[in-house]
Amino acid sequence: PADDPEAWAWNPEHAWVFDKLRLALSQGVEAAPHGLAPQRFPVFSKPIFNFGGLGAGTRTLVDAADYARHATPGHMWMELLAGPHISTDFAVVDGVVAWTRHATGQPTTDGMFDYWTVHAGANVELERRLVAWIAANLAGYTGMLNAETIGGTIIDAHLRFADQWPDLYGSGWVEALVALYTDRAWTFREPPRRDGYSLALFMPNGRRYRTPPTALVDEVRGMPGVSSVQITFYEEKA
């Protein structure tokens, strides 16, 4: 699966990880659905599921009046976390982590990121915590897992990988990804790691855009250090 809907459909036993309230509670994080008011503030508010509107309506609630003003069916609150915001991809075989890679985003405004750094290095403490959580909560699962964390706590999980940068994971990774699903085994012979970068080009909403000419895409792809170009919109769709 490269997106959440098929990941949900193909993994009924483990699809509960898309439930952010249950995800928080599985880690001992103080959280509840709107309608059960928090006893202390500030808290972070967001949709329990984000298949349709992504993170629409997420905000920090600073006091009881703020909570009353923004109480929304289908949303939840959780304790406000602090620390590094990291996206981690895992290859998991029967609930056991076989491979890990971390990425961090450089934020801009409105929840967007200017670029992502796919790190060559490990994060030993974070990996220790997440490997233990996966072993305790995803027994029997084989496939990719993406987890977003703040300060080591998972805030979002997906039964897939971050599909923006598989080429940055090294030669042979995509073949190992296919084998993970066909053979239920992880066979990646990883070359020496390098830091990689994923640069997102955000454009204003409400305009119609044309797919760049093939010659221009080829020119950019041929620039030193550029490994791929992704066109993530369709001309016929708003």
Side-chain angles (χ1 to χ4, degrees):
D3 207 353
D4 292 336
E6 61 258 33
W8 169 281
W10 297 343
N11 297 281
E13 182 181 352
H14 302 103
W16 65 268
V17 300
F18 291 104
D19 180 336
K20 292 178 180 53
L21 177 57
R22 186 171 172 185
L23 186 67
L25 296 176
S26 74
Q27 301 170 89
V29 174
E30 188 174 359
H34 282 200
L36 300 174
Q39 299 301 305
R40 49 183 172 267
F41 293 89
V43 295
F44 191 73
S45 174
K46 60 184 177 180
I48 296 174
F49 291 96
N50 65 2
F51 287 104
L54 299 180
T58 60
R59 55 175 46 87
T60 299
L61 304 176
V62 299
D63 54 30
D66 204 17
Y67 165 76
R69 184 162 48 250
H70 294 292
T72 305
H75 284 224
M76 60 171 282
W77 59 264
M78 61 181 289
E79 60 186 82
L80 190 62
L81 303 173
H85 188 167
I86 299 174
S87 173
T88 304
D89 272 352
F90 300 92
V92 182
V93 180
D94 196 18
V96 177
V97 171
W99 175 89
T100 308
R101 194 77 185 261
H102 307 286
T104 55
Q106 178 65 37
T108 56
T109 58
D110 299 326
M112 297 186 296
F113 292 92
D114 185 27
Y115 65 90
W116 288 83
T117 301
V118 181
H119 297 281
N123 187 323
V124 175
E125 178 58 24
L126 179 62
E127 290 170 22
R128 183 190 64 80
R129 294 180 62 172
L130 297 184
V131 165
W133 183 89
I134 292 167
N137 290 277
L138 294 180
Y141 175 71
T142 294
M144 297 302 300
L145 174 72
N146 175 261
E148 286 188 50
T149 57
I150 293 180
T153 296
I154 304 172
I155 60 167
D156 208 352
H158 310 267
L159 301 177
R160 56 166 174 78
F161 60 98
D163 64 350
Q164 297 98 320
W165 45 71
D167 58 300
L168 299 179
Y169 287 157
S171 176
W173 189 87
V174 172
E175 290 78 6
L177 167 73
V178 174
L180 177 64
Y181 285 90
T182 58
D183 303 331
R184 296 181 61 85
W186 184 247
T187 59
F188 185 38
R189 295 184 177 181
E190 189 166 21
R193 289 186 174 187
R194 301 170 59 193
D195 285 343
Y197 302 93
S198 178
L199 175 65
L201 302 178
F202 287 102
M203 302 297 287
N205 189 28
R207 301 181 186 178
R208 300 305 290 265
Y209 295 98
R210 292 181 295 111
T211 300
T214 301
L216 176 59
V217 176
D218 289 343
E219 178 185 349
V220 174
R221 189 182 288 118
M223 292 177 177
V226 175
S227 60
S228 67
V229 177
Q230 300 182 35
I231 310 300
T232 58
F233 70 93
Y234 298 91
E235 289 186 356
E236 67 275 12
K237 293 185 178 182

